[in-house]
Amino acid sequence: DSINAEYGGRNIEIFRSFEAFLIPGPGGRQLIDKSYLLKKSTQLKEVHPSYDFLGWYSTGDGAKDDDLEIQKQLLDINENPLYLIINPLSQTTTLGSSSRELPISIYESGYQLINDEPRLLFSKVTYKIETTDAERISVDYVANATISGGDENSSLNSHLKGMHNAVKMLNMRVKILSSYLQAVSDGKVPADHALLRQVASLINLLPAFDSARFRQDLLHEYNDVLLVTYLSALTKSVSLTSDLVDKFNVAYDKLGMRRRFFH
């Protein structure tokens, strides 16, 4: 896939990618479909003028000699394209260990003299992943759900459980007060005026009106809660579907590697 990014000296921000294609060449070589790549890059440049072609990425466990052949073909588009490798198979060890690093490696290429001949070689570069608070919460939720096979350990689920327990306790205490007031009204229990004054004070804190505006605001808030619940269920379904697609691609990719390009 091709990656789009913004340059700022040695700092590069990756924003998006799109899939490119390889076509058979002479001698069994795999050639990049440059016409499609340039057309797609031009279209993206019209929408995002600050984006430039950055390089490409694929899946695998490291840079191979075949990757250098693709890297050479991209030199006329970018004088030093980056090559990003994602290793999906490392998840089996990384998630179960104490390491919290993503299975990502980034390489840049350069010519070096070997036996008095210039050769194009890959060299690793360092990178930093920056996230917002919302992204960190989402990743934490998905990661905990993936590791444990459910969502029992996520901070969001713990918060919702706390709210559920609080509402459950409130409902139980309201039922106790209601039963006591009914028993006092029926003459089964003697009236405790101090307790009745506390109950009356509590009731006075509740809204004492039932206008159309109040019902409308309550309905809007109720619909918002239902919408958030629906979006949560939809997000979890998309996450499970994405995980299934990733496993399918890893299991049934003929070449064992999907080469892509990025801006």
Side-chain angles (χ1 to χ4, degrees), residues 91 146 237-248:
Q91 294 177 357
T146 302
S237 300
V238 171
S239 176
L240 294 175
T241 303
S242 176
D243 186 50
L244 176 62
V245 171
D246 291 340
K247 291 180 179 178
F248 180 87

Side-chain angles (χ1 to χ4, degrees), residues 17 60 74 95 97 111 139 153 157 163 183 208 251 254 259 261:
S17 67
L74 296 174
L95 292 178
S97 64
Y111 283 96
V139 171
N153 298 325
N157 192 64
M163 293 185 62
K254 292 182 180 179
R259 293 187 173 88
F261 306 86

Side-chain angles (χ1 to χ4, degrees), residues 83 87 174 241 244:
Y83 177 33
N87 187 3
V174 169
T241 303
L244 176 62

